[in-house]
């Protein structure tokens, strides 16, 4: 994933996808270099044009000018835990991925550089009919002085922060070949082996988006990915209740296919587990939750 992102940033710097993104990439790097030493002075120090990083006893140095010349977004991505995506507005209203340094939140990075928002969200049910216009208006109105944020959730079947084939066994583009035709059967077998609480992982993305001040035709989209086993909600019963509510709402429409909860048996097992946690009020999760957690 890291190598793919490195190649993507180099490719996007080539102006092969509708305009040179290097000025925007450099603006992003400059923001990062201004923020990190000021906010975390014990871990980051800038001496002239050399950046020193000291984290948990380990250290390294970067020649800022060398990276700023051709690989600014890559250095910004290496310094942060967030994935970074630069979107560029085009005449006619489309917003296209101009450059990306992505390790955790999604795979196939090289394929996505050059895509517009509708192409990026091709797997999202009803995006063209329900979301394309609102999302486009949001990006059109985005201001450099008013960045925005949101969170989303998904259910995955792998603890890996890096995209792996078993993260989404219900999506043919991600899934191992053995699960393409029977993802529900594979999921229930996994639940039978280790229980719901250890088979299913809650993936949450904290996303921010801001328009750049200098390269104002670009917006920076950041994604911080968190992955936790479902049993960690045992001590947060209110969160278990809200997750169950969101799942039930999603199950009423096409979005259930994207989340991988269209299989009634799989969805029922997960909801029973979450309901048990909420009913018990935490502190162990009740008999069903305890059995599923094992």
């Amino acid at each position: 994933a890291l190598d793919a992102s490195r190649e993507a940033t180099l490719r996007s710097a080539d102006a092969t996808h509708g305009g040179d993104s290097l000025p925007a990439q450099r603006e992003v790097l400059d923001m990062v270099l201004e923020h990190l030493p000021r906010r975390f002075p014990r871990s980051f120090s800038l001496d002239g044009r050399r950046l020193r990083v000291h984290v948990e006893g380990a250290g390294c140095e970067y020649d800022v000018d060398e990276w700023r010349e051709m690989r600014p977004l890559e250095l910004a991505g290496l310094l942060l835990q967030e994935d970074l995506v630069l979107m560029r507005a085009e005449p006619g209203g489309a917003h296209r991925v101009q450059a990306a340094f992505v390790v955790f939140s999604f795979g196939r990075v090289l394929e996505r550089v050059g895509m517009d928002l509708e192409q990026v969200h091709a797997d999202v049910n009803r995006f063209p009919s329900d979301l394309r216009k609102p999302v486009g208006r949001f990006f059109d109105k985005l201001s450099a002085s008013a960045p925005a944020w949101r969170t989303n959730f998904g259910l995955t079947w792998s603890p890996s922060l890096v995209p792996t084939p078993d993260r989404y066994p219900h999506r043919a583009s991600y899934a191992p070949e053995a699960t393409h035709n029977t993802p529900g059967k594979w999921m229930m077998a996994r639940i039978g082996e280790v229980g719901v609480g250890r088979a299913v992982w809650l993936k949450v993305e904290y996303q921010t988006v801001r328009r750049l001040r200098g390269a104002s035709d670009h917006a920076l989209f950041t994604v911080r990915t968190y992955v936790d086993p479902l049993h960690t909600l045992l001590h947060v019963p209110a969160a278990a209740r809200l997750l169950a509510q969101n799942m039930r709402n999603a199950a009423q429409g096409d979005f259930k296919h994207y989340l991988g909860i269209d299989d009634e048996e799989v969805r029922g097992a997960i909801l029973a587990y979450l309901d048990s946690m909420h009913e018990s009020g935490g502190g162990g999760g009740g008999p069903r939750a305890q059995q599923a957690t094992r």
Side-chain angles (χ1 to χ4, degrees):
L2 183 59
D3 288 341
S5 265
R6 282 177 166 157
E7 188 175 344
T9 56
L10 289 173
R11 228 171 104 179
S12 62
D14 240 351
T16 55
H17 294 288
D20 188 358
S21 69
L22 278 173
Q25 292 190 39
R26 289 170 183 145
E27 185 174 344
V28 172
L29 178 59
D30 289 343
M31 286 194 297
V32 171
L33 294 177
E34 188 280 328
H35 173 76
L36 291 179
R38 174 171 51 82
R39 180 65 179 82
F40 305 102
R42 293 185 179 180
S43 299
F44 300 92
S45 59
L46 193 58
D47 181 10
R49 300 304 292 170
R50 296 200 70 80
L51 177 70
R52 294 186 173 88
V53 182
H54 316 274
V55 181
E56 296 183 354
C60 60
E61 289 189 7
Y62 295 96
D63 183 324
V64 172
D65 288 335
E66 179 181 331
W67 288 83
R68 199 174 184 278
E69 179 66 23
M70 285 300 296
R71 297 188 292 171
L73 195 67
E74 181 179 344
L75 178 56
L78 291 172
L79 296 173
L80 302 174
Q81 292 178 305
E82 287 83 0
D83 290 333
L84 306 175
V85 180
L86 275 171
M87 307 290 299
R88 181 172 181 264
E90 296 184 336
H95 294 81
R96 197 170 297 279
V97 177
Q98 190 72 5
F101 190 86
V102 175
V103 177
F104 305 113
S105 51
F106 57 81
R108 310 197 313 276
V109 183
L110 279 171
E111 296 176 25
R112 297 178 190 243
V113 174
M115 287 185 175
D116 63 27
L117 284 172
E118 186 168 343
Q119 293 169 323
V120 168
H121 294 92
D123 292 336
V124 180
N125 299 89
R126 303 185 68 126
F127 183 89
S129 59
D130 295 354
L131 295 174
R132 180 176 60 82
K133 288 184 178 179
V135 170
R137 286 195 298 267
F138 168 79
F139 273 93
D140 287 339
K141 295 179 179 179
L142 191 64
S143 166
S145 60
W149 66 272
R150 69 182 290 268
T151 61
N152 68 9
F153 84 93
L155 300 177
T156 80
W157 298 78
S158 167
S160 175
L161 276 172
V162 177
T164 58
D166 54 350
R167 174 183 273 189
Y168 302 119
H170 58 288
R171 297 185 195 172
S173 57
Y174 280 92
E177 186 174 349
T179 71
H180 279 187
N181 299 321
T182 57
K185 183 178 180 181
W186 183 92
M187 293 174 185
M188 288 307 300
R190 181 65 179 155
I191 288 173
E193 291 171 5
V194 298
V196 174
R198 298 188 185 280
V200 184
W201 296 70
L202 177 62
K203 175 175 171 279
V204 175
E205 293 181 345
Y206 173 73
Q207 304 172 349
T208 73
V209 60
R210 68 174 68 208
R211 185 168 301 285
L212 299 186
R213 292 186 181 276
S216 59
D217 58 341
H218 286 75
L220 175 65
F221 180 65
T222 76
V223 186
R224 174 75 182 273
T225 303
Y226 301 84
V227 179
D228 295 283
L230 208 58
H231 69 76
T232 57
L233 296 184
L234 283 169
H235 304 294
V236 198
R241 177 181 62 81
L242 289 172
L243 179 58
Q245 179 180 319
N246 282 329
M247 285 184 58
R248 288 188 168 97
N249 291 339
Q252 302 305 309
D254 294 338
F255 200 59
K256 63 186 176 185
H257 302 292
Y258 182 75
L259 290 176
I261 56 171
D262 47 319
D263 185 285
E264 291 187 10
E265 189 176 12
V266 173
R267 185 171 69 249
I270 297 172
L271 286 173
Y273 179 76
L274 294 172
D275 289 342
S276 179
M277 281 194 278
H278 173 58
E279 291 163 5
S280 71
R288 281 186 296 170
Q290 290 174 3
Q291 181 180 11
T293 303
R294 286 214 288 272

